[in-house]
Amino acid sequence: MTDQGRHFTLKNDAGVQLANGGLLEHYELAVCTYGALNENADNAILICHALTGNQFVSGTDPSTGKPGWWSQYVGPGKAIDTNRFFVVGVNNLGGCSGSTGPSSINPATGSAYLNDFPSLRVRDWVATQHWLMTQLNIKKWYAVVGGSLGGMQAMRWCVDFPEAVERCVVIASATSLTAQNIAFNELARSAISKDPRFADGKYASQNTLPEDGLSLARMIGHVTYLSGTGMNAKFGRSLQRGSFELGNSDAVQFEVESYLQYQGAKFATRFDANSYILFTRVLDYFDLGRDFGGDVSKAFTQCDARFLVIGFSTDWRFSAQRSEEITDALIRATRHVSYACIDSEHGHDAFLIANTRYEALLRSFIEGEPKHG
Amino acid sequence: MDNLSPNLQTVVRWIKPNSRVLDLGCGSGTLLSILTEQKNIQGLGLEIDPDNILQCVSKGLSVVEHDLNTGLSRFDDASFDTVIMTQTLQAIERPDLILDEMLRLGKDCIVTFPNFGHWQPRSYLLFKGRMPVSDYLPYSWYDSPNIHFFTVNDFETLLTDKGYRILNKRMVAQKKGIQTQLCQFWPNLFAETAVYHLAKF
């Protein structure tokens, strides 16, 4: 049994005051909900998506025809059980899966925003998600959950709206990106902007698509989401075609090459390049300690939520050490926090992939009743 | 509390209500649960075993995956009221250093450990000529997690060398009766478990 969810769009004509000082006067959020909100409205769980996720957390993602991006963990009987919880997935502002973003029409000009879409920060997403919460008549989230960039939103929720979050699950995330992590994002952005068909972000108005650039950006990103061990286990040195037999001159292609090319090409047709650039910048700008003199624990001091922080052993894009830093900051702030480092060979992608221990922890934390103290 | 071992009952008695407690090697969270219920503590457990961590999370406790042998430098000075370690000191690479750390993180600390000077392991070694194996210390010498064997006297010598203060101590015999009385007079010979409440200087 799967729950295909209820998909709808909500329009906000009051607009949102952005962190960059600007006002986005009108915006729409594309939302997909699973399960039912109970009478007390106290069983709602917000799932925040990562860089390339969307509102289709469970069920089938109509844009790909494949299961929603976190259907491994969200659905009837899953760790986040939609028979019991009302799960809310939302495409973040600036995205390309139905919410207002660079390819939407700017009412002020009558043409698409393209590269003129305002720069965003994680707190802008949280502000718009907070508006969504009020629209859904939810006073307090039973839990806010997110991996990677989603984990940043989950933490930001607890800092900006401490009274609105009961549990917070932060998976394979960080309180700010490292220089190396920003560097990978810059590689991806350069790949896109150097594609002649990107046309300074005006590709849509010129009826072109920077598919080569976007594909390369995805290939770079994809490698950083896997672990060396995992890639060796999956591909090793297997050949897709050709051979090294002496006397044979057929061109050789390794399986890993073919896989990356395929993943890049597939992504380039489904994701918007301006959204990709916008979102990687949101990642780069995030720094939970910035408003608190660089002390993340001060940011957490006002949080009421109970936290579960999870890292993965072979994740190097958001290493387990970064999750331990989150945990230590929460301990310093005397908050309730549990932390586990899950053994997995799947690198950063592990947060999306089936894993018995991860599943059990997530389920126990979500379903467990807190001990008061 | 009744089905709690006598040494853990002692620990519960010594913990101040509403205090902030760190339990090193908290296992499945039995002690933290009771302390939370009875003393309204704000507890945090450190644990390395995945099944134990899961059980703690299921009980709604705060537990952090951590290998005690990597030290406790990630935690701030005086960030807890009391730091507890039950039946784990003998399994730590450097018990002396972890004691220092416990008294750095906490205002005081409580340690329980198996007394290797108890007459049973002594006579086992004396008469059998082999390292003691019992219900209480059930491991063989080669697979035992217990890498330091020490007695109540050894421990008190360490405390004297360090200059740590004993706020309270209790010697526990597994069986009630004569042994309970004996272990008050000859703790090094009759205590199976020793429970110490310590502070700095």
Side-chain angles (χ1 to χ4, degrees):
Chain A
M1 264 297 286
T2 53
D3 178 348
Q4 291 306 334
R6 282 144 302 282
H7 189 215
F8 53 91
T9 304
L10 288 175
K11 191 160 195 273
N12 183 334
D13 286 317
V16 57
Q17 183 71 52
L18 299 172
N20 72 4
L23 174 73
L24 190 64
E25 285 180 37
H26 309 273
Y27 69 88
E28 288 184 13
L29 290 181
V31 181
C32 196
T33 67
Y34 308 83
L37 188 63
N38 65 15
E39 221 166 281
N40 298 328
D42 60 7
N43 69 334
I45 297 180
L46 175 68
I47 312 283
C48 303
H49 71 70
L51 184 59
T52 61
N54 58 22
Q55 66 273 40
F56 303 111
V57 170
S58 186
T60 307
D61 182 339
S63 66
T64 60
K66 298 214 163 126
W69 62 269
W70 217 26
S71 45
Q72 194 64 245
Y73 292 97
V74 182
K78 296 289 174 74
I80 298 176
D81 188 353
T82 52
N83 289 328
R84 191 174 153 192
F85 296 104
F86 177 63
V87 171
V88 178
V90 53
N91 183 213
N92 284 341
L93 188 68
C96 53
S97 185
S99 291
T100 300
S103 49
S104 309
I105 300 296
N106 178 356
T109 63
S111 52
Y113 287 99
L114 304 177
N115 58 334
D116 287 334
F117 198 84
S119 74
L120 298 173
R121 301 201 198 147
V122 169
R123 61 182 81 206
D124 297 321
W125 286 343
V126 169
T128 56
Q129 289 162 1
H130 187 259
W131 170 77
L132 169 66
M133 179 176 93
T134 59
Q135 293 300 297
L136 297 173
N137 293 315
I138 297 162
K139 297 238 168 7
K140 185 174 196 172
W141 296 109
Y142 180 91
V144 177
V145 183
S148 193
L149 178 56
M152 293 174 167
Q153 293 160 64
M155 287 186 279
R156 176 54 77 191
W157 255 102
C158 298
V159 173
D160 287 5
F161 300 100
E163 71 295 338
V165 188
E166 209 165 290
R167 292 168 183 77
C168 178
V169 184
V170 184
I171 306 163
S173 192
T175 57
S176 64
L177 291 195
T178 58
Q180 187 195 46
N181 209 331
I182 295 171
F184 278 114
N185 284 338
E186 181 58 14
L187 284 175
R189 285 190 293 265
S190 290
I192 295 169
S193 60
K194 285 183 171 36
D195 183 334
R197 288 189 291 169
F198 181 63
D200 286 332
K202 308 281 186 213
Y203 49 91
S205 61
Q206 300 179 11
N207 280 319
T208 65
L209 262 187
E211 280 181 65
D212 292 343
L214 197 50
S215 170
L216 180 53
R218 179 60 163 181
M219 286 163 72
I220 294 165
H222 205 97
V223 173
T224 70
Y225 304 149
L226 306 176
S227 76
T229 323
M231 285 180 92
N232 271 335
K234 190 167 174 182
F235 306 107
R237 296 179 50 84
S238 304
L239 300 184
Q240 183 72 17
R241 54 183 156 76
S243 131
F244 288 114
E245 219 175 288
L246 289 176
N248 184 327
S249 67
D250 292 350
V252 161
Q253 189 188 35
F254 287 97
E255 259 183 28
V256 66
E257 295 178 69
S258 143
Y259 170 83
L260 276 181
Q261 294 291 352
Y262 171 76
Q263 291 296 332
K266 194 173 67 166
F267 181 73
T269 56
R270 83 166 171 91
F271 211 84
D272 179 64
N274 282 319
S275 284
Y276 197 84
I277 289 175
L278 183 72
F279 279 17
T280 54
R281 292 215 184 276
V282 177
L283 263 169
D284 293 357
Y285 297 165
F286 183 71
D287 182 352
L288 199 60
R290 190 187 290 124
D291 298 345
F292 301 87
D295 185 349
V296 178
S297 66
K298 287 207 179 93
F300 284 135
T301 308
Q302 54 202 320
C303 300
D304 285 340
R306 305 177 68 88
F307 287 79
L308 174 65
V309 181
I310 291 177
F312 296 94
S313 58
T314 58
D315 186 349
W316 54 280
R317 186 84 196 250
F318 289 80
S319 70
Q321 192 195 332
R322 305 309 315 277
S323 290
E324 285 176 17
E325 286 166 20
I326 298 171
T327 307
D328 290 349
L330 284 162
I331 291 172
R332 205 162 289 136
T334 68
R335 301 300 87 190
H336 288 281
V337 57
S338 289
Y339 164 74
C341 177
I342 310 288
D343 261 327
S344 162
E345 62 167 25
H346 295 295
H348 187 53
D349 267 354
F351 88 91
L352 302 167
I353 295 169
N355 176 302
T356 314
R357 188 183 172 208
Y358 173 31
E359 204 263 345
L361 272 173
L362 194 55
R363 183 188 296 273
S364 300
F365 181 74
I366 292 291
E367 295 187 350
E369 287 306 319
K371 274 238 180 330
H372 289 289
Chain B
M1 180 111 171
D2 291 343
N3 49 20
L4 210 58
S5 66
N7 45 324
L8 288 189
Q9 290 184 26
T10 305
V11 176
V12 174
R13 267 195 293 279
W14 289 350
I15 292 288
K16 287 189 204 75
N18 310 313
S19 59
R20 189 160 155 74
V21 175
L22 178 68
D23 187 357
L24 306 181
C26 65
S28 62
T30 310
L31 180 61
L32 279 176
S33 283
I34 287 169
L35 288 173
T36 310
E37 280 161 16
Q38 298 190 358
K39 296 288 178 98
N40 192 43
I41 62 150
Q42 197 197 348
L44 174 68
L46 300 186
E47 180 53 49
I48 194 166
D49 177 69
D51 291 332
N52 280 338
I53 292 170
L54 180 62
Q55 286 199 51
C56 289
V57 170
S58 305
K59 288 173 185 163
L61 298 167
S62 292
V63 60
V64 165
E65 183 167 335
H66 181 82
D67 178 359
L68 294 176
N69 284 324
T70 63
L72 295 166
S73 57
R74 64 190 280 193
F75 302 105
D76 291 345
D77 293 3
S79 44
F80 295 89
D81 293 309
T82 304
V83 181
I84 304 175
M85 186 155 60
T86 58
Q87 307 298 84
T88 306
L89 195 62
Q90 75 284 356
I92 298 288
E93 277 170 23
R94 287 292 298 271
D96 56 333
L97 300 183
I98 204 137
L99 268 183
D100 292 342
E101 281 293 84
M102 289 173 78
L103 286 171
R104 178 180 68 83
L105 304 188
K107 292 177 193 145
D108 51 57
C109 79
I110 298 174
V111 184
T112 83
F113 59 86
N115 172 31
F116 206 69
H118 186 259
W119 65 270
Q120 276 177 322
R122 283 195 204 202
S123 52
Y124 194 108
L125 183 58
L126 182 63
F127 293 113
K128 293 199 177 182
R130 300 177 60 187
M131 291 305 284
V133 177
S134 63
D135 293 347
Y136 185 51
L137 291 164
Y139 300 95
S140 295
W141 62 273
Y142 49 84
D143 65 359
S144 175
N146 304 317
I147 53 176
H148 298 284
F149 293 105
F150 55 101
T151 68
V152 164
N153 288 355
D154 287 329
F155 187 70
E156 293 215 0
T157 305
L158 175 66
L159 297 181
T160 310
D161 292 348
K162 295 265 182 199
Y164 291 150
R165 197 152 52 95
I166 299 171
L167 301 176
N168 212 337
K169 64 178 168 180
R170 181 153 185 254
M171 300 300 142
V172 181
Q174 221 61 343
K175 295 191 191 88
K176 296 238 188 297
I178 183 76
Q179 296 213 15
T180 307
Q181 267 121 48
L182 284 172
C183 79
Q184 306 317 316
F185 294 105
W186 293 287
N188 205 39
L189 197 55
F190 288 99
E192 279 173 298
T193 306
V195 191
Y196 281 83
H197 193 178
L198 307 171
K200 250 184 179 168
F201 318 117

